[in-house]
Amino acid sequence: MTTDGTTSAPASTPASTPVPGATAEVAPLVDALRSGLTAAGYTVDGVGEALGDVASAALHREQTVPARRALADVAPVHEPRAALARLFLLGDEVPRAGLDRALPGLGTAGAARLGLVAAAGEADDDAVRAVVDLRPYAAVDAGGEASWWLASDLAELATGGRLATDHVLGAGGASTTLAQVTVRTPVGRVLDLGTGCGIQALHAARHARHVVATDLSRRALGFARFNLALNTPPDGVDVALRHGSMLEPVAGERFDLVVSNPPFVITPHSGAAGAAVADALGDYEYRDGGRSGDDLVRDLVRDVGGVLAPGGVAQLLGNWEHRRGEPWDERVGAWLDAAGLDGWVIQREVLDPAEYAETWIRDGGTTAEREPGAWAAAYGAWLDDFASRDVEAVGFGIVTLRRPSDGARPTLRRLEEHTGSVHQPLGAHVAASLAAHDWLEARDDAALADAHLVVADDVTEERFHTPGQADPNVVVVRQGDGLGRGVHASTGLAAFVGVCDGELAVGQIVGALGALLDVPADDLRAELLPAVRGLVRDGFLRPATAA
């Protein structure tokens, strides 16, 4: 920073600390670390117990004062996990003796050999500081509960400054979202494209026989290797790490599942705007794919089918531009058409260009308060870059793709916006929706009329009345699981759903309702069957044989 508050060169520099486990023989040390973390109760629940609800919630908002107050006076049983939390979560120094007690089998010396900490000396009261972030992780995906420890680079919360350009993230919100929406059907081969610290590979190792995890960052692969060693995958599961960009490391191979949280952030990379951002911030490997606009996500959508086995599924997160005069679903829909795959895109969030720029400048640790010159330069460059392509907003969402069986054509092309709350994990709901789509594709209206359906257990009905009126003027059929959809139902559709218990076929119910409502059966059939298909597709109704 110069004296006038401007930044003449990026303040971030490549991370200088080696990744954990970079020394030759680490297996005994990793075993000792795992045992020590387990004994200390250094888990999500354990740390939460030591912090208490208020401090835990504040720390989740990246506010450390309540956590420091809570950890300053903990019960003796919580002292080991409190020392680890102060060291690795808050970035505070702890006395050497405190870490020795927290990890008795490893000690400060072993933690330093692993590359986790740096000690000022060998006396009991000499300070020890963390050089990496090591935190407990817990999540529920479609396969059940998962609990691990994840090492990554120290975050801004611990360093108090902007991130290094080769920073390796831990498991953030996007990583957790991807893990929760991923289908967890047992499969043979999974590709984790852009593995980062390895979190998606760990999730995949619970339901696949072979996992290949790739990344352009060798530093990220180093962290992934350490995390896989610390959290040993199940016996018989092979996990391979490969270096390279996007699909290049697996060209010519086939996978049953591809998961990817790619470097999708739309960052200026050309012209004066690109030069301004590069000068002010640098390029962050974990998020900047080096492509203009949303080209990286577009190309991944169009090309990933080349590594999918027939019936294979790809699930990824992405950003896409909303350009003036071009609806986002038409633009992204053209990507699906070019891919030749079944496609389902759910847009979860939309930011205007200013919000988007603020989000990602701040994400790297640059703030207007600390670095006003860099902030202003990057902000202006982002807006110039968006203006050059008539970008009015940026969407974020989840993309699910599937390769049809050999010789089959794509039958699923669905693009929708759902910005409300969802009920995670969504992976099972996604799998059920794909199966329901296939079930419907195999049945024309005559076959659907012969089918027997039941209402899903999570479905409820809401009725809204005008005061004083006996009959409702609005009926909403709502699901409590999955995307939590609500469907405005006509009198006929609400009645149909109400009697779907598997006893009568769809056609029989429609005929009975036609007589009851005094509506010609053919007219009611024309109204209800498309709606019934939608309810089956979205999980409100299920085939009785599958219930």
Side-chain angles (χ1 to χ4, degrees), residues 18-335:
V19 298
T23 54
E25 180 55 45
V26 299
L29 298 175
V30 171
D31 290 343
L33 173 63
R34 186 187 310 111
S35 297
L37 296 174
T38 301
Y42 189 56
T43 63
V44 170
D45 289 343
V47 171
E49 185 180 5
L51 288 174
D53 293 340
V54 173
S56 292
L59 188 59
H60 187 69
R61 300 190 302 270
E62 298 190 349
Q63 298 300 317
T64 61
V65 172
R68 288 193 171 94
R69 291 167 65 95
L71 295 177
D73 185 24
V74 296
V77 70
H78 294 156
E79 286 180 357
R81 71 190 68 163
L84 295 170
R86 283 196 297 267
L87 181 66
F88 291 113
L89 301 186
L90 302 180
D92 293 346
E93 293 181 344
V94 301
R96 186 182 185 106
L99 183 56
D100 288 342
R101 288 192 298 269
L103 298 174
L106 181 69
T108 302
R113 286 185 61 197
L114 276 176
L116 302 177
V117 302
E122 297 185 1
D124 285 351
D125 59 352
D126 281 334
V128 179
R129 64 177 178 84
V131 295
V132 301
D133 185 297
L134 179 65
R135 66 181 57 219
Y137 169 87
V140 179
D141 66 14
E145 296 182 354
S147 180
W148 299 301
W149 300 280
L150 295 176
S152 60
D153 276 319
L154 288 171
E156 179 194 354
L157 185 69
T159 65
R162 71 157 75 175
L163 306 181
T165 54
D166 61 351
H167 181 86
V168 177
L169 286 176
S175 298
T176 302
T177 294
L178 180 59
Q180 292 178 319
V181 303
T182 299
V183 172
R184 298 296 173 189
T185 306
V187 292
R189 304 192 77 215
V190 174
L191 169 63
D192 174 14
L193 191 158
T195 190
C197 71
I199 182 60
Q200 305 304 330
L202 284 167
H203 276 278
R206 302 195 306 155
H207 66 99
R209 293 189 299 274
H210 303 280
V211 179
V212 176
T214 68
D215 208 290
L216 183 62
S217 166
R218 293 191 183 278
R219 184 173 181 80
L221 291 174
F223 272 104
R225 184 174 294 106
F226 178 82
N227 289 327
L228 287 163
L230 180 59
N231 306 284
T232 51
D235 290 340
V237 177
D238 172 59
V239 182
L241 300 176
R242 299 187 195 172
H243 175 258
S245 176
M246 301 305 288
L247 295 168
E248 291 174 1
V250 294
E253 300 182 46
R254 295 291 180 269
F255 296 88
D256 304 298
L257 173 67
V258 176
V259 294
S260 184
N261 180 13
F264 59 71
V265 176
I266 298 172
T267 306
H269 282 293
S270 60
V277 170
D279 288 344
L281 305 181
D283 287 330
Y284 289 99
E285 290 181 342
Y286 71 88
R287 72 184 201 190
D288 297 332
R291 305 292 301 280
S292 175
D294 52 19
D295 287 356
L296 184 141
V297 176
R298 178 201 65 192
D299 290 349
L300 181 55
V301 168
R302 296 194 309 191
D303 296 342
V304 72
V307 300
L308 285 175
V313 172
Q315 295 183 274
L316 56 115
L317 305 180
N319 276 170
W320 38 82
E321 296 180 338
H322 292 211
R323 296 182 179 176
R324 184 176 296 109
E326 185 179 20
W328 77 269
D329 52 348
E330 291 184 9
R331 187 160 186 275
V332 178
W335 302 353

Side-chain angles (χ1 to χ4, degrees), residues 305 308-313 336 339-343 401-412 437-438:
L308 285 175
V313 172
L336 299 182
L341 304 173
D342 288 332
L401 306 165
R402 184 176 60 174
R403 181 177 175 181
S405 301
D406 285 339
R409 62 177 181 84
T411 58
L412 174 62
H437 168 82
D438 295 341

